[in-house]
Amino acid sequence: MADASLNALIEALRRLPGVGVKSASRMAFHLLQHDREGAQHLAQALQQATTRVRHCSLCNTFTEQEVCPTCLDPQRDATKLCVVETPADQAAVERTAAYRGRYFVLMGKLSPLDGIGPRDIGLAKLFERALDGVVQEVILATNFTAEGEATAHVIGETLKQRGLKVTRLARGVPAGSELEYVDLGTIAHALVDRR
Amino acid sequence: MADASLNALIEALRRLPGVGVKSASRMAFHLLQHDREGAQHLAQALQQATTRVRHCSLCNTFTEQEVCPTCLDPQRDATKLCVVETPADQAAVERTAAYRGRYFVLMGKLSPLDGIGPRDIGLAKLFERALDGVVQEVILATNFTAEGEATAHVIGETLKQRGLKVTRLARGVPAGSELEYVDLGTIAHALVDRR
């Protein structure tokens, strides 16, 4: 496989997250042998997305407009702001149909070990958004990982000082699970947060 | 994530082998948030490969030229022809440095269950290549799977009838392995093929 454009394609595919050299070769082989139309299609989709997709000026998620459809929806409760790490997390909260407020998407999380600080995830934009005078409650829905917890802590402390109500998603036993198989940390949290 | 170009990108990435909707979303998110340059780069590589890469007229592998560099190499023994399923398999044989003959790359294997017959993997091109009068031995190096064995059988029978010497890669115990942990079928083959 000594050909320049084939090698270039494999190298380009390797930049995708979770794709090593074997997967990249298999992908390139599949596209060239069985799905050249799909390859052309992907090339166009990449071009289009990279030129058109930008960040919503209100909630920071990906959108092609100045303001995303969720932020434009007048039915949503503007007094509540749910902070999530990624659009995928936002989609997960949306699927519950248990929340009808607004969102702010961090597009990342604080991660000092990787050199990602408050500026890299645009916390200034969040603070501006949360302190617009309409928002009354900020719901921290960052992940329950070390980085997610740290991010929630930093945001929560800052916003509490400014007089906002700050809440965090409840920690506890997952729905449908048996206590015997739930890890100790989760049970301990569920005990502390009992109601 | 209701945006048209973002959804189009996720759908296009899902056509890659081994990529489901979650991986595709993660890839799209990564490219748009952290590596737009990589996305542009991949789009160009896809365009270039799909327009430039075609099949070597002699060995059928991917190449940008009429004939690939391996087939053009005058140092290689033209009396031996090694038949492999894919360019990746060819690369594996090359890495051994134990073979200096020529190759034919099927770009597939017979798979009746998937409706892939002799015509779909271009066996006619192989037969024409093998019966050029120069080739004396055809080494069948298709995979040792059900489909690979069937493919080797069909090719072998046809070429033997035409008077060519046909060999198959030896089956046996992998180098460095302990008999205790080798599967029974492999040990049985190694016994039958002992030398």
Side-chain angles (χ1 to χ4, degrees):
Chain A
M1 298 209 277
D3 266 306
S5 8
L6 186 58
N7 287 336
L9 176 56
I10 293 172
E11 278 309 306
L13 285 164
R14 280 188 66 183
R15 285 175 76 158
L16 293 171
V19 176
V21 67
K22 290 226 168 184
S23 303
S25 304
R26 205 174 64 238
M27 286 172 177
F29 177 77
H30 171 82
L31 289 174
L32 289 172
Q33 185 67 10
H34 302 293
D35 197 10
R36 292 203 180 210
E37 195 200 324
Q40 296 272 6
H41 192 74
L42 177 55
Q44 279 157 27
L46 284 162
Q47 282 289 6
Q48 210 164 80
T50 47
T51 47
R52 288 196 196 163
V53 174
R54 49 187 181 146
H55 294 284
C56 171
S57 62
L58 282 177
C59 79
N60 201 37
T61 196
F62 289 130
T63 180
E64 284 172 59
Q65 279 81 47
E66 172 69 19
V67 176
C68 77
T70 313
C71 286
L72 285 174
D73 186 350
Q75 307 265 306
R76 288 185 166 267
D77 183 353
T79 65
K80 289 187 174 60
L81 188 71
C82 179
V83 178
V84 293
E85 289 179 19
T86 66
D89 296 336
Q90 181 187 3
V93 176
E94 276 295 285
R95 276 197 297 276
T96 67
Y99 179 70
R100 293 295 298 163
R102 299 190 183 270
Y103 288 94
F104 189 90
V105 185
L106 292 170
M107 294 289 179
K109 59 201 167 212
L110 291 178
S111 182
L113 289 178
D114 304 315
I116 298 171
R119 242 174 255 172
D120 300 293
I121 60 169
L123 285 193
K125 192 173 170 184
L126 164 62
F127 294 146
E128 194 186 314
R129 174 77 185 82
L131 300 164
D132 66 351
V134 182
V135 172
Q136 285 166 20
E137 179 182 356
V138 172
I139 300 157
L140 299 173
T142 54
N143 288 322
F144 285 78
T145 56
E147 290 99 341
E149 295 277 20
T151 309
H153 180 77
V154 168
I155 297 170
E157 288 304 303
T158 307
L159 292 178
K160 270 182 214 157
Q161 280 171 16
R162 307 290 192 93
L164 273 180
K165 182 180 174 190
V166 177
T167 56
R168 178 90 169 106
L169 285 193
R171 276 178 299 210
V173 180
S177 57
E178 297 178 58
L179 281 188
E180 185 181 350
Y181 300 107
V182 174
D183 69 290
L184 296 184
T186 299
I187 297 179
H189 276 304
L191 271 170
V192 171
D193 294 352
R194 70 185 183 278
R195 46 175 211 144
Chain B
M1 296 210 279
D3 267 305
S5 6
L6 185 58
N7 286 336
L9 176 57
I10 293 172
E11 278 309 306
L13 285 165
R14 280 187 65 182
R15 285 175 76 159
L16 293 171
V19 175
V21 66
K22 289 227 169 185
S23 302
S25 304
R26 205 175 63 237
M27 286 172 177
F29 177 77
H30 172 82
L31 290 174
L32 289 172
Q33 185 65 12
H34 302 293
D35 197 10
R36 292 201 179 210
E37 195 200 323
Q40 297 272 8
H41 192 74
L42 176 55
Q44 279 158 26
L46 284 162
Q47 283 289 7
Q48 209 164 81
T50 48
T51 47
R52 288 197 196 163
V53 174
R54 48 188 182 149
H55 294 285
C56 171
S57 63
L58 282 177
C59 78
N60 201 38
T61 195
F62 289 130
T63 180
E64 284 173 60
Q65 279 82 47
E66 171 69 18
V67 177
C68 76
T70 312
C71 286
L72 284 174
D73 186 350
Q75 307 265 308
R76 287 184 169 267
D77 183 353
T79 65
K80 290 189 174 60
L81 188 71
C82 179
V83 178
V84 291
E85 290 180 19
T86 66
D89 295 336
Q90 181 186 2
V93 176
E94 275 296 284
R95 274 197 297 275
T96 67
Y99 179 71
R100 291 297 298 165
R102 298 188 184 271
Y103 289 94
F104 189 89
V105 185
L106 292 171
M107 294 287 177
K109 59 202 165 211
L110 292 179
S111 182
L113 288 178
D114 302 317
I116 298 171
R119 241 174 256 172
D120 300 294
I121 61 169
L123 285 193
K125 190 173 172 185
L126 164 61
F127 295 148
E128 193 186 311
R129 175 77 185 83
L131 299 164
D132 67 350
V134 181
V135 173
Q136 286 165 21
E137 179 183 356
V138 172
I139 301 157
L140 299 173
T142 54
N143 288 323
F144 286 78
T145 57
E147 290 100 342
E149 294 278 19
T151 309
H153 180 77
V154 169
I155 296 170
E157 289 304 304
T158 308
L159 291 178
K160 271 182 214 156
Q161 278 170 19
R162 308 288 193 91
L164 273 180
K165 181 180 174 191
V166 177
T167 54
R168 177 90 170 107
L169 285 193
R171 277 179 299 211
V173 180
S177 55
E178 295 178 58
L179 281 188
E180 186 181 349
Y181 301 107
V182 173
D183 69 292
L184 295 183
T186 298
I187 296 179
H189 277 304
L191 271 170
V192 172
D193 294 352
R194 70 186 181 279
R195 47 177 209 141

